Amino acid sequence: MLIELPCHINFLDPADAVDHLQTYASSDGLFVEDLMNGWLHGGLTYNDFLLLPGKIDFSAADVITETRITRNVVLKTPFMSSPMDTVTETEMAISLALLGGIGVIHHNQPAENQAAMVRAVKRHENGFITHPVVLSPTHTVADVLDIKAWLGFCGIHITGGGGGKLLGIVTSRDIQFESPDIPLHEIMTTDLVTAPQGVTLNEANILPIVDDQGRLTSLLARSDLLKNQSYPLSSKNPDSKQLYAATAVGTRPNDRDRLRLLVEAGFVLDSSQGNSIYQLETIQWIKQTFPKLEVIAGDVVTREQAANLVAARADGLRTGMGSGSISITQEVMVVGRPQATAVYAVAEFANKFGVPVIADGGISNVGHVVKALAPGGSAVMMGGLLAGTTEAPGEYFYQRWATLEAMDAEKSDPSPQANGMPGSTKHALYPKSAPHGNAATTRYFSENSTVKVAQGVSGDVHGQGAAVKAFVPYLYAGLQHSLQDTGVKSVEDLKKGVRDGSVRFELRTASAQVEGGVHGLHSYTKRLYT
């Protein structure tokens, strides 16, 4: 049977294509509210959805990734490292801060060690050092050596005569061949060139800055001028020009003694379940005792949990429960929430009160970073993704021709190997201190339990063979290109587009996830960056 086809079909005028979109009831794709409708879709992870592409009329280099992680702290990039003892110590925190993020130093160590790490981060790049380390003429070479061992430098200015008048300077060359008991006034250099108080950072070519009475007021770290050029995104306190540092503390009464040693850093309260009386009382105590400190509370995954922490005056929230790569909380404790749904639910509530939300866990690639920001997150906290970099303090070992790095979620005892003991390939030299309680037990409320139920595993990740200073720029560039494809010029524009519906989403079936990955090849090589 033959079917006659019409010889002519009336098509619409192509010039009217854009106007014709107005005839549709809604834009293509889903509103975020429809995507996150738990009654229809259940809880979603980052792999369960995609963002639909927008219009590109700008360069990826023009995309601004600036974001707020607390009420008052703004970073140039939304990258944070997790407070795990195999992820964040001094080197990781410094590297991330230089690259626009912030590292959260773990508290599974003596408080004195943790405080020393915070000081090392903040002194790495100072600009104008308004509270310089000084000695008097009667101090000895031994005192300079102590400062070098503790803080890592030995260029010390000598003051005295009342009122902090600058008298001289002692450098490493001055003490190199001297006895430790030699007084500094015998070896210090007194012929100094100074700059007047009020000089700008770019104008100051001289290290010591003095007032009109010759008193030392600050120092200029010349090396930091070079760092300003090399690391334009670096995360700095706008007042002191020091690198931002954050540190984790527990929520028990004895953690308050630790906190007093760490007041120069920002704080992240570390607990697997943030909606507890311990955390609420700790936040209230911090705000009463140190009202200017920025406190990030958590972890939470529901708006009911978030409400109590917001009411307690938390400055930011961590969101995630059981979504980390080594966590088994959802399996063992049967509590938690898929991470994308958790970020959306908490951010939708907390953002109404000006409280940023940090997506903690579940980030395994740069695409997940974007998917954490789109539902309302302000930053991502990464553990496993950074654990294989050379700045992470974990232990390297080799197995079947692969370089691996250890990770621990639960520890019954603090590991000596992660801190420079035999068998480790990494080390950190800090003064020995008295034994301390294990942070992992208090984090999971199990310090008084006879039988401790693990909520994480010990494992390893492939060593990336790369430094954070190479890997984070890849994340940064990937984030810029992703936002460009989405058609937004900044993280803030992404959130605004999600709220007003101009940024749309698509739900992914299991088959769609297979299709969206590499498939149909016998073998392939996957390079993250070149």
Side-chain angles (χ1 to χ4, degrees):
M1 178 180 178
L2 297 177
I3 300 177
E4 292 187 7
L5 297 177
C7 59
H8 179 71
I9 300 176
N10 291 323
F11 293 106
L12 299 177
D13 186 346
D16 298 329
V18 175
D19 293 336
H20 187 68
L21 289 175
Q22 306 304 317
T23 64
Y24 289 86
S26 65
S27 299
D28 209 349
L30 299 173
F31 288 102
V32 68
E33 295 85 358
D34 297 330
L35 175 73
M36 295 296 175
N37 187 331
W39 296 101
L40 294 177
H41 307 140
L44 301 182
T45 69
Y46 296 139
N47 289 332
D48 291 326
F49 67 94
L50 290 171
L51 281 71
L52 296 185
K55 180 181 179 181
I56 298 176
D57 55 5
F58 54 92
S59 166
D62 296 331
V63 173
I64 299 172
T65 60
E66 188 173 278
T67 189
R68 191 176 299 274
I69 62 168
T70 72
R71 296 180 190 272
N72 300 304
V73 175
V74 177
L75 303 181
K76 295 293 180 63
T77 67
F79 306 131
M80 303 178 68
S81 64
S82 177
M84 301 169 63
D85 56 12
T86 51
V87 177
T88 309
E89 289 186 350
T90 306
E91 194 174 356
M92 177 68 74
I94 289 174
S95 297
L96 263 185
L98 289 174
L99 296 167
I102 191 169
V104 185
I105 296 171
H106 71 88
H107 62 118
N108 195 24
Q109 59 179 320
E112 294 79 6
N113 287 17
Q114 192 177 9
M117 291 181 184
V118 171
R119 286 193 295 270
V121 175
K122 297 180 77 68
R123 287 188 176 275
H124 183 78
E125 183 173 353
N126 291 289
F128 283 114
I129 306 170
T130 55
H131 299 286
V133 175
V134 296
L135 294 175
S136 72
T138 57
H139 281 92
T140 65
V141 170
D143 297 312
V144 178
L145 295 174
D146 287 342
I147 291 174
K148 182 178 181 180
W150 184 245
L151 297 177
F153 61 88
C154 60
I156 309 297
H157 286 77
I158 311 302
T159 61
K165 186 174 182 178
L166 180 62
L167 302 178
I169 186 173
V170 173
T171 67
S172 58
R173 289 179 295 179
D174 297 321
I175 66 173
Q176 189 171 12
F177 302 108
E178 299 293 346
S179 171
D181 57 357
I182 295 293
L184 298 183
H185 67 81
E186 295 185 11
I187 61 171
M188 68 183 186
T189 300
T190 57
D191 184 16
L192 301 178
V193 182
T194 63
Q197 189 175 15
V199 69
T200 66
L201 190 62
N202 290 327
E203 295 171 342
N205 295 315
I206 311 300
L207 283 172
I209 312 297
V210 298
D211 62 15
D212 55 2
Q213 299 182 31
R215 294 175 299 191
L216 181 65
T217 60
S218 61
L219 299 177
L220 170 66
R222 289 287 295 157
S223 60
D224 294 339
L225 293 179
L226 299 177
K227 292 173 187 173
N228 287 339
Q229 298 173 354
S230 302
Y231 301 103
L233 299 175
S234 56
S235 305
K236 300 177 188 176
N237 184 305
D239 298 322
S240 67
K241 306 302 181 184
Q242 293 179 323
L243 291 180
Y244 272 130
T247 187
V249 293
T251 58
R252 296 299 192 273
N254 58 359
D255 287 308
R256 298 177 184 181
D257 293 332
R258 172 186 294 267
L259 193 148
R260 293 180 191 275
L261 296 176
L262 304 169
V263 291
E264 57 184 328
F267 287 98
V268 176
L269 296 180
D270 195 25
S271 175
S272 64
Q273 216 281 47
N275 189 25
S276 70
I277 189 63
Y278 311 110
Q279 187 154 151
L280 296 173
E281 290 178 348
T282 300
I283 297 172
Q284 293 165 357
W285 178 82
I286 293 175
K287 289 301 182 180
Q288 291 172 359
T289 311
F290 306 105
K292 294 184 178 181
L293 287 184
E294 299 289 307
V295 179
I296 298 174
D299 279 37
V300 295
V301 293
T302 71
R303 57 175 175 264
E304 286 77 13
Q305 288 178 298
N308 288 330
L309 298 181
V310 171
R313 300 298 187 269
D315 299 297
L317 297 178
R318 288 170 73 187
T319 298
M321 193 171 187
S323 57
S325 60
I326 53 179
S327 176
I328 55 173
T329 296
Q330 294 183 14
E331 174 187 344
V332 176
M333 300 294 117
V334 297
V335 293
R337 201 171 200 178
Q339 184 68 343
T341 297
V343 171
Y344 171 74
V346 174
E348 187 275 333
F349 177 83
N351 289 345
K352 295 178 180 178
F353 301 90
V355 179
V357 169
I358 297 161
D360 178 17
I363 305 295
S364 59
N365 57 58
V366 66
H368 288 171
V369 175
V370 183
K371 291 181 180 182
L373 299 176
S378 292
V380 295
M381 184 170 282
M382 300 171 287
L385 197 62
L386 300 177
T389 59
T390 55
E391 289 86 351
E395 182 184 5
Y396 278 131
F397 61 98
Y398 298 89
Q399 185 180 68
R400 293 184 181 179
W401 305 285
T403 305
L404 306 176
E405 187 165 4
M407 286 186 67
D408 270 326
E410 282 290 323
K411 289 189 175 184
S412 58
D413 295 294
S415 169
Q417 292 184 339
N419 218 14
M421 299 300 286
S424 174
T425 60
K426 300 187 179 181
H427 59 87
L429 297 178
Y430 294 98
K432 293 183 179 180
S433 182
H436 62 97
N438 185 10
T441 57
T442 58
R443 187 177 197 274
Y444 296 95
F445 309 105
S446 59
E447 66 270 32
N448 295 322
S449 301
T450 302
V451 177
K452 292 178 172 56
V453 180
Q455 295 190 44
V457 300
S458 297
D460 50 71
V461 296
H462 276 281
Q464 295 187 23
V468 163
K469 292 181 180 178
F471 183 64
V472 170
Y474 150 73
L475 295 178
Y476 174 66
L479 174 58
Q480 286 183 307
H481 281 278
S482 179
L483 295 185
Q484 180 193 38
D485 282 344
T486 309
V488 296
K489 295 183 178 180
S490 67
V491 172
E492 189 55 42
D493 286 347
L494 174 66
K495 295 181 180 181
K496 181 177 180 296
V498 171
R499 289 194 299 267
D500 65 26
S502 59
V503 173
R504 311 283 279 192
F505 299 85
E506 189 69 82
L507 197 67
R508 300 174 83 190
T509 63
S511 298
Q513 293 182 38
V514 172
E515 179 188 67
V518 179
H519 59 278
L521 300 179
H522 175 265
S523 63
Y524 67 93
T525 300
K526 185 176 183 180
R527 294 184 178 90
L528 296 181
Y529 57 92
T530 58

